Structures are given as structure tokens and as C-alpha cells.
Amino acid sequence: MARKSRLKQPAGCRCAGGHAGRCPRMTGDPGIRTRMRSGAGFTLLELVIAVGVLGILAVLAQGQFAGYIDRARVGAARADIAMLSLEILRYQNVNDGRLPASLADVGRGDMHDPWERPYHYVDLTGKSRGKARKDRRLNPINSDYDLFSAGKNGVYKPQVSQKDSLDDVIRARDGGYIGLAKDF
């Protein structure tokens, strides 16, 4: 049986192939280079396409996320207004049916809506009846008091159906409705 002779590898070669004097990896043989490259990484075109797809997905996700944040803030404002309404009712029961002059009277004068603005409260039982917020037919939306958040844009008008007031979170029908003015 003939024995295979082992050829000496060039200095610096770590591959297991017995080369006759020249290591193809060290000499820059194009055949070896392409074979090594095909599984070693991505081409520039592949990276550009991947970044483009990720960019499109990020834009779509950001839009969905912003909508979710807005809905969550409206929900938090609705819960706050419902809680404030209960505290005002509790104040009324303790004070012989009188409404508080401000939210500070019920201990909530420093309370802010989810957009970091104070809640608006107007007692409608006294002289301030003309300050009542109104629906699209100019009828007052409450007979006892108005309680609302100016919403995302922070601007409100006396009539809740006006453009600037559509994002307001309102209490209407004497507490029978709490939600966005555009849905009222």
C-alpha cells in the first residue's frame, strides 16, 4: 500500500488542504474567494432592501402606536372626569346640595388631564349660566355644571361641535355622557 506523502503548507496557512507550494486562500484565487463569500455576508443591495423594508414597517408601526397613545389618553381623561364627577356629587351631599366653586374645593385644584393641562369646571347653578357649553343646536349640554378637558390641542370653544372643540373630552347630559365631543 502506497503511503500518501504530506506536502508542506506555506507559512501562515491554517487550512487542512495539502497544497503543493501555494495556498489558494493566500494567493487570492478568485474561485476560492467567491466560494467563501457566498455564505459569509450580505451584498450592498440586500442591505439596502432590508433597511427599506424596516423603514416602511417602522412608519406603519409608528402610526398605529400614535393612535393607541391618543385613545389611551382619551380613556384616562374619561376616567378622571367620572371620578371628579363622583367627588363633586360627594361634595354636594355633604354641603346641602351646593356645588363647589372650583375643583380646589373638592381637593383636586391641581389635577391635570393626560395632556398636562388643568381640567375646566364651571358651576352653572349661579350667575355663570351663560358660560355653559352648548351642542350644535346651541342647547346647553349640562344643567348643573360643566366639567371637561380641552383635549389634545388644548383649545376649546363654547359650542362643542366647533372644529377646535371636537377633541375635547366632555361631560354632557348631566353626567349621562362622558367622552369625545365629536362623538356627542
Side-chain angles (χ1 to χ4, degrees):
M1 217 176 190
R3 220 175 186 199
K4 287 187 178 179
S5 65
R6 223 158 139 103
L7 299 174
K8 189 174 183 181
Q9 294 179 338
C13 177
R14 293 190 191 118
C15 66
H19 309 294
R22 288 181 41 196
C23 177
R25 290 186 180 185
M26 295 184 71
T27 59
D29 180 17
I32 286 290
R33 226 186 270 160
T34 26
R35 275 185 263 139
M36 285 178 50
R37 209 173 211 201
S38 65
F42 300 104
T43 65
L44 181 60
L45 181 62
E46 290 170 332
L47 288 174
V48 168
I49 290 172
V51 168
V53 167
L54 286 175
I56 290 169
L57 289 175
V59 166
L60 293 173
Q62 192 271 338
Q64 292 292 323
F65 184 70
Y68 173 75
I69 294 295
D70 288 341
R71 287 190 305 272
R73 285 184 175 164
V74 167
R78 288 177 65 186
D80 287 349
I81 289 173
M83 186 249 331
L84 287 170
S85 296
L86 287 174
E87 290 185 12
I88 291 170
L89 181 63
R90 192 175 304 128
Y91 180 92
Q92 248 184 324
N93 289 337
V94 170
N95 293 294
D96 300 322
R98 281 190 355 252
L99 287 170
S102 69
L103 290 177
D105 292 348
V106 293
R108 298 295 183 160
D110 60 345
M111 188 169 180
H112 288 76
D113 66 11
W115 297 275
E116 298 300 322
R117 294 184 203 90
Y119 284 98
H120 299 273
Y121 169 80
V122 178
D123 178 6
L124 301 175
T125 58
K127 297 177 183 177
S128 58
R129 193 125 179 100
K131 294 181 181 179
R133 297 196 75 193
K134 298 172 177 47
D135 63 10
R136 64 179 52 93
R137 294 185 187 101
L138 299 177
N139 296 320
I141 61 173
N142 292 300
S143 62
D144 50 0
Y145 62 91
D146 278 339
L147 178 61
F148 64 96
S149 163
K152 183 178 180 176
N153 66 1
V155 180
Y156 67 93
K157 302 286 183 186
Q159 190 174 354
V160 296
S161 60
Q162 290 180 335
K163 179 182 161 192
D164 288 334
S165 293
L166 293 177
D167 68 337
D168 295 357
V169 182
I170 62 171
R171 172 191 175 271
R173 296 187 189 125
D174 294 336
Y177 174 81
I178 298 174
L180 283 172
K182 71 177 182 178
D183 297 334
F184 176 66

